[in-house]
Amino acid sequence: MAEQLKIKLSIANRVYPLTIAPSQEEGLRKAAKKIEAMISQFEQNYSVRDKQDVLAMCALQFASQVEQKKIDKAEVSEEVENKLDALNQLLHEHLSA
């Protein structure tokens, strides 16, 4: 079994002890830092003081980003597939002639 790493992350003035694979540390620390920055931004811009409301807004923001990336990726995949189909048709026409 791979060696595990014990870290503590602070989010919204609470400390969360985690046991993780060393390869996850950088991503988790960056994510916690982004959450903290987003919390500060929401508190400043919207005068929200309840941490649960702020955390819910952060969760919605991150979830919407993930969903939008899925939508964008699907659109790009469809566009690429259409272009490949067109290219394949052109090749077929030229090879058949």
Side-chain angles (χ1 to χ4, degrees), residues 3-63:
E3 190 173 321
Q4 297 290 294
L5 182 65
K6 293 184 182 215
I7 65 170
K8 292 181 181 178
L9 295 178
S10 177
I11 300 173
N13 300 323
R14 287 193 182 182
V15 176
Y16 296 92
L18 301 170
T19 302
I20 60 166
S23 61
Q24 295 178 300
E25 183 180 14
E26 183 180 2
L28 285 168
R29 291 199 185 276
K30 284 183 177 182
K33 198 171 188 176
K34 277 186 174 182
I35 293 168
E36 283 295 319
M38 195 175 287
I39 287 170
S40 295
Q41 183 181 15
F42 281 133
E43 287 178 338
Q44 290 172 1
N45 294 338
Y46 299 106
S47 300
V48 179
R49 295 289 173 237
D50 182 29
K51 290 293 184 193
Q52 184 171 346
D53 289 341
V54 173
L55 289 170
M57 292 168 71
C58 288
L60 179 60
Q61 182 79 17
F62 282 119

Side-chain angles (χ1 to χ4, degrees), residues 59-76:
L60 179 60
Q61 182 79 17
F62 282 119
S64 68
Q65 289 171 359
V66 167
E67 291 305 318
Q68 189 60 50
K69 285 183 182 181
K70 286 181 185 177
I71 291 167
D72 294 345
K73 184 178 178 181
E75 289 173 359
V76 167

